[in-house]
Amino acid sequence: MGEARLRIQLRGIVQGVGFRPFVHRLAEERQLGGWVLNSSAGLVTEVEGSRATLESFVEAVRHDPPPLAWIQEMQVSEVAALGETAFVIRQSLASTGEFALISPDVATCADCVADFTGAANRRYGYAFTNCTNCGPRYTIIRDIPYDRPKTTMAAFRMCPACQAEYEDPRDRRFHAQPNACADCGPSLSAAVEEARRRLASGEVLAIKGLGGFHLACDARNQEAVERLRARKRRSDKPFAVMVRDLAAAAALCHVSEAEQEALSSTRSPIVILRRIEPVALPHAIAPGNRTLGVMLPYTPLHHLLFVDAPYDALVMTSGNLSEEPIVVDNVEARQRLSQTADWFLTHDRDIYMRTDDSVVRVFEGRERVMRRSRGYAPQTLDLGREVPELLACGGELKNAFCLTKGRHAILSQHIGDLENYETLEFFEETLRNLKKLFRVEPRAVAHDLHPQYLSTKYALERTGLPAVGVQHHHAHIASCMAEHSLSGEVIGVAFDGTGYGTDGAIWGGEFLVASYAGFTRRAHLRYVPLAGGDAAVRENWRAALGYLTDTFGADASIDGVAEERVRVVRRMIATGLNTVPTSSCGRLFDAVSAIVGLRREVTFEGQAAIELEMIAQSDEPGRYDFAIEGDGPWQVDFRPLVVEILRDPAAAPVKAAKFHNTLAEATAEVCLRIARETALRRVCLSGGTFQNMRLLGTTAAALRRNELEVYLHARVPPNDGGIALGQAAIAAAAGNINF
Ligand code: ZN
Ligand code: ZN
Ligand code: FE
């Protein structure tokens, strides 16, 4: 019988997911000798026994790893046999420069739910129950290797019962770093019963969660929801709702199988669902929407809040002031949220890294991330090749940054709108943390071309690194390419609100032929004058006046806006004062919204577009006219659309539908022309406008009808939350930086 010994090295998400006990169990079952350990590079095991048994061991590791594990790389080599017959789990090893992938936070597993809801269980009612299959990870990890002393659980000393579980390889809590119980672990500031009673009576609560505080209230209590909205003074942005279970979700919304899967995944994101009409919830939850952001309970505390509660849905919105980062600290929460919350439910387990709830939608049966944070970060994306260590600073709104290490792109969690000091601090603290966890020392920095973005200023003034400026829409397309590991040239359609153009104009309706190395602007929406900077976004009728002026001349007017305000903006357009040309697709939506009389002012960027999508008649096949003119870059001219839409006697929902159809048709037509000239067949769709599912669906269908290959985002947001990945991919390909 040939005895042999193998050394197996695993990389990927192999720590904090129960991998060592799994290996231990496999080895014991097969009576193999050896050991297993976590190193800062991943997981290493040596096993010794007969060749046939070793083979079955390797097979089992490869094909049947623990549910949360992800094996990116597995190296098996033969080493000299030592005659070992016992199998042990060894102490973790830390080595400098090496890193292991860190698991995102994981929603509470069914076994743990059974534990804290089982009256006879020693964890009955315990709000911090977790195991190797679930619980906090990224939010509590200070450094690697992932061991309890390097987490915010270091402050709690395990009781004998917890310690015994922790040390027993047969236990579900073997080496579960955040393992705890009511005797030894974190505790709540008040009883869950009191929180339930207060929620049921209509109070607004600040509740400390996994990645930060939530503001919560009974979602069916109109008065409470309105009070929360008024106190948060937060535009009309929709609130997310946490429901008791899938049945409660299905009572409010249409839930497909794929959506069910997304809701109940270990990542437990907010899933944007189509509401069942007439809606059973107060209007103030999501004004002007036909969709609702829904999530399931993902911590033991959330589950406990629903036990025997009279409500089955809670508003759960980020605990922050208007656009500041989500609050994580107890003291800070009491300062900042005291005007908003009637009562606080906190706890004493510190949050090291803040994360917001992630937001996804299902399109074509696949989950698409719109806001990438809890449950997703810091999972890395494979760049397909080794690249130098880089930092890409992202954009301004919905900022996320990106670091690279080896083949990994490490996209940060959603940071937010980099428009205030607090958000910049969050950016910097997250950057420090991810550099440390992944052992990254960037050698160059990529940034947006917009000189006023805080992310640009940070890149140029604070890093001291060689800098690569990346055009905004090029970054969008490169991010879609990188997500799909595309190389060479593609046709890129980048539609969004705002991006700094190379000609000083505001771009946002762009057709590029792009590679990582560069791009050519082949077409764009025809420039229209946009007066008033930020005010032009808030007062979307200004975009309409831009389109109307372009179509009918300088004395164009717009219904529903006071003549003297129109006169001021008309003069600005005529003289060019504080007026820039724009090809922004977001502003086209703004203009159409005002022209069809839907809305003339908005409280947040994108609101007009969302409403236009929401009211659009679903089965309307008609469209308006458009033109494609000029010779390089072509201009997509929607003046014919403006003329027709004003004459169209149809109701706003029909007009909105025809507008969507027109834009999709024009987009496909331009892509087809580019394809004919370049022989390129691959089309990447990116940019915040493609969060519009109706536009995305009709555009993708029109492109496919023309036998073009369509690439859409899934794991990376199409909005500016994804551009850092594109910046990184472009910087990695840039020949002009000296590494
Ligand atoms: Zn669990
Ligand atoms: Zn304990
Ligand atoms: Fe953008």
Side-chain angles (χ1 to χ4, degrees):
M1 287 300 289
E3 292 283 307
R5 187 177 178 95
L6 297 180
R7 181 183 175 86
I8 302 167
Q9 269 182 296
L10 294 160
R11 281 175 172 275
I13 297 183
V14 292
Q15 296 185 4
V17 292
F19 218 110
R20 285 175 303 172
F22 160 73
V23 167
H24 185 271
R25 182 171 56 76
L26 290 183
E28 284 211 324
E29 281 167 5
R30 290 167 179 72
Q31 297 177 316
L32 298 170
W35 48 260
V36 60
L37 62 77
N38 274 340
S39 82
S40 32
L43 184 130
V44 190
T45 178
E46 289 195 8
V47 278
E48 183 163 345
S50 77
R51 287 195 184 275
T53 328
L54 289 176
E55 210 164 282
S56 94
F57 175 87
V58 172
E59 280 304 287
V61 171
R62 200 190 301 272
H63 296 298
D64 195 25
L68 300 178
W70 173 65
I71 300 175
Q72 186 196 26
E73 196 183 313
M74 180 164 173
Q75 278 177 10
V76 184
S77 52
E78 189 156 347
V79 293
L82 302 173
E84 268 179 339
T85 53
F87 194 89
V88 294
I89 292 171
R90 285 201 187 162
Q91 191 102 46
S92 300
L93 282 182
S95 45
T96 50
E98 296 279 13
F99 74 105
L101 300 182
I102 289 156
S103 168
D105 299 278
V106 183
T108 302
C109 75
D111 289 334
C112 282
V113 174
D115 286 349
F116 63 75
T117 55
N121 193 283
R122 77 181 189 90
R123 287 193 174 78
Y124 180 63
Y126 185 53
F128 301 89
T129 304
N130 64 83
C131 73
T132 44
N133 300 323
C134 76
R137 299 287 188 274
Y138 178 50
T139 51
I140 62 163
I141 297 176
R142 296 176 196 274
D143 202 356
I144 53 165
Y146 171 54
D147 270 330
R148 189 172 176 111
K150 292 190 169 152
T151 70
T152 62
M153 283 298 292
F156 302 94
R157 195 193 170 91
M158 272 185 271
C159 69
C162 286
Q163 189 70 36
E165 294 166 339
Y166 184 87
E167 286 168 8
D168 179 0
R170 286 157 207 84
D171 196 282
R172 205 174 85 243
R173 298 196 166 87
F174 174 74
H175 281 243
Q177 306 305 343
N179 188 28
C181 74
D183 290 336
C184 65
S187 53
L188 293 170
S189 60
V192 178
E193 292 72 26
E194 182 169 7
R196 282 200 296 255
R197 190 180 53 69
R198 287 176 181 270
L199 285 167
S201 72
E203 288 187 29
V204 172
L205 267 53
I207 301 175
K208 188 175 182 181
L210 197 52
F213 274 78
H214 277 126
L215 290 163
C217 71
D218 180 354
R220 293 186 193 272
N221 184 326
Q222 180 173 344
E223 192 273 327
V225 175
E226 281 169 3
R227 186 151 29 91
L228 173 55
R229 186 166 285 286
R231 285 187 192 167
K232 231 192 149 188
R233 270 181 257 125
R234 179 205 185 191
S235 60
D236 289 336
K237 281 188 186 172
F239 289 148
V241 167
M242 180 179 281
V243 294
R244 180 194 300 276
D245 50 24
L246 281 175
L252 293 170
C253 297
H254 302 276
V255 190
S256 71
E257 213 166 295
E259 286 163 342
Q260 236 177 70
E261 225 167 88
L263 280 168
S264 36
S265 79
T266 58
R267 303 166 180 281
S268 196
I270 295 169
V271 183
I272 311 268
L273 300 171
R274 200 156 49 86
R275 288 189 325 213
I276 293 172
E277 306 288 346
V279 63
L281 295 175
H283 173 79
I285 285 190
N289 263 275
R290 283 187 186 178
T291 57
L292 185 66
V294 177
M295 62 183 150
L296 294 180
Y298 59 82
T299 69
L301 176 57
H302 296 152
H303 285 276
L304 291 167
L305 285 172
F306 283 101
V307 172
D308 295 329
Y311 46 79
D312 65 352
L314 292 172
V315 165
M316 279 278 193
T317 184
S318 302
N320 56 6
L321 290 178
S322 58
E323 305 300 324
E324 290 178 6
I326 190 166
V327 173
V328 292
D329 179 80
N330 291 350
V331 177
E332 194 191 358
R334 289 193 191 268
Q335 287 165 356
R336 297 202 176 206
L337 303 177
S338 59
Q339 305 297 310
T340 326
D342 297 308
W343 192 71
F344 287 78
L345 182 60
T346 67
H347 60 72
D348 54 358
R349 185 179 73 202
D350 286 345
I351 298 169
Y352 187 65
M353 256 298 99
R354 62 185 100 210
T355 57
D356 287 87
D357 292 316
S358 294
V359 180
V360 309
R361 297 187 87 139
V362 170
F363 178 75
E364 295 184 340
R366 189 153 177 213
E367 183 187 290
R368 317 272 169 182
V369 178
M370 301 292 148
R371 182 167 76 194
R372 192 177 173 281
S373 190
R374 177 187 50 77
Y376 294 80
Q379 187 155 26
T380 65
L381 297 134
D382 187 3
L383 287 167
R385 67 187 177 96
E386 297 262 333
V387 304
E389 296 187 6
L390 299 165
L391 164 64
C393 289
E396 169 127 305
L397 299 179
K398 301 185 167 73
N399 179 278
F401 62 85
C402 185
L403 289 164
T404 59
K405 171 92 179 179
R407 296 166 54 114
H408 299 281
I410 306 145
L411 191 58
S412 80
Q413 71 267 37
H414 168 80
I415 301 292
D417 297 348
L418 266 187
E419 293 179 317
N420 53 52
Y421 177 73
E422 287 75 14
T423 313
L424 183 63
E425 264 194 318
F426 178 25
F427 175 98
E428 294 192 74
E429 98 195 356
T430 307
L431 178 57
R432 272 196 302 275
N433 191 42
L434 284 173
K435 276 167 70 175
K436 180 180 65 182
L437 293 180
F438 287 88
R439 313 287 197 241
V440 183
E441 223 15 270
R443 293 158 71 187
V445 62
H447 61 85
D448 195 90
L449 291 182
H450 200 303
Q452 298 307 322
Y453 281 3
L454 277 183
S455 57
T456 304
K457 291 182 175 169
Y458 179 85
L460 296 175
E461 293 163 19
R462 304 285 294 278
T463 64
L465 295 169
V468 184
V470 179
Q471 201 282 323
H472 189 91
H473 304 95
H474 186 206
H476 270 302
I477 299 308
S479 119
C480 187
M481 291 175 69
E483 181 174 349
H484 294 285
S485 306
L486 303 181
S487 53
E489 284 191 323
V490 302
I491 301 171
V493 183
F495 283 175
D496 65 2
T498 301
Y500 197 78
T502 52
D503 58 358
I506 297 175
W507 293 12
E510 310 305 313
F511 297 81
L512 314 178
V513 165
S515 68
Y516 299 122
F519 72 95
T520 328
R521 192 186 194 199
R522 299 297 294 252
H524 60 85
L525 302 195
R526 181 185 154 88
Y527 283 143
V528 296
L530 187 66
D534 284 348
V537 175
R538 236 171 19 252
E539 298 176 1
N540 61 297
W541 63 267
R542 292 177 186 235
L545 194 64
Y547 268 91
L548 293 165
T549 305
D550 189 39
T551 309
F552 300 110
D555 53 355
S557 198
I558 177 161
D559 289 347
V561 182
E563 181 54 30
E564 66 242 44
R565 295 175 73 194
V566 174
R567 212 177 304 129
V568 171
V569 174
R570 218 185 265 142
R571 199 174 314 120
M572 287 169 76
I573 292 174
T575 59
L577 177 74
N578 200 9
T579 297
V580 282
T582 185
S583 54
S584 161
C585 195
R587 298 298 83 79
L588 172 61
F589 273 88
D590 283 355
V592 171
S593 172
I595 290 171
V596 303
L598 189 58
R599 167 177 288 282
R600 294 174 190 91
E601 293 186 12
V602 299
T603 64
F604 63 94
E605 146 116 82
Q607 188 177 13
I610 290 171
E611 288 177 359
L612 214 51
E613 175 188 2
M614 293 299 149
I615 66 154
Q617 189 86 37
S618 58
D619 50 1
E620 169 60 47
R623 68 164 175 88
Y624 301 113
D625 208 6
F626 61 88
I628 300 169
E629 326 176 302
D631 34 25
W634 298 318
Q635 306 198 10
V636 187
D637 183 354
F638 284 118
R639 284 178 298 181
L641 174 144
V642 172
V643 171
E644 287 187 354
I645 208 167
L646 282 168
R647 281 198 204 127
D648 193 345
V654 173
K655 292 183 187 177
K658 286 162 92 171
F659 162 66
H660 278 83
N661 297 347
T662 313
L663 183 54
E665 201 54 43
T667 303
E669 175 62 29
V670 173
C671 289
L672 196 60
R673 289 193 190 191
I674 298 172
R676 282 200 204 106
E677 288 198 355
T678 59
L680 296 171
R681 315 289 319 163
R682 299 177 300 179
V683 181
C684 288
L685 302 183
S686 189
T689 303
F690 285 112
Q691 293 171 108
N692 180 324
M693 292 294 127
R694 186 186 174 102
L695 181 68
L696 187 65
T698 40
T699 306
L703 291 167
R704 289 180 188 131
R705 264 202 310 278
N706 288 299
E707 276 154 33
L708 296 172
E709 266 172 64
V710 182
Y711 292 89
L712 310 176
H713 286 284
R715 288 170 299 152
V716 175
N719 56 50
D720 287 3
I723 64 170
L725 175 65
Q727 292 174 345
I730 289 165
N736 61 342
I737 35 175
N738 290 320
F739 292 113

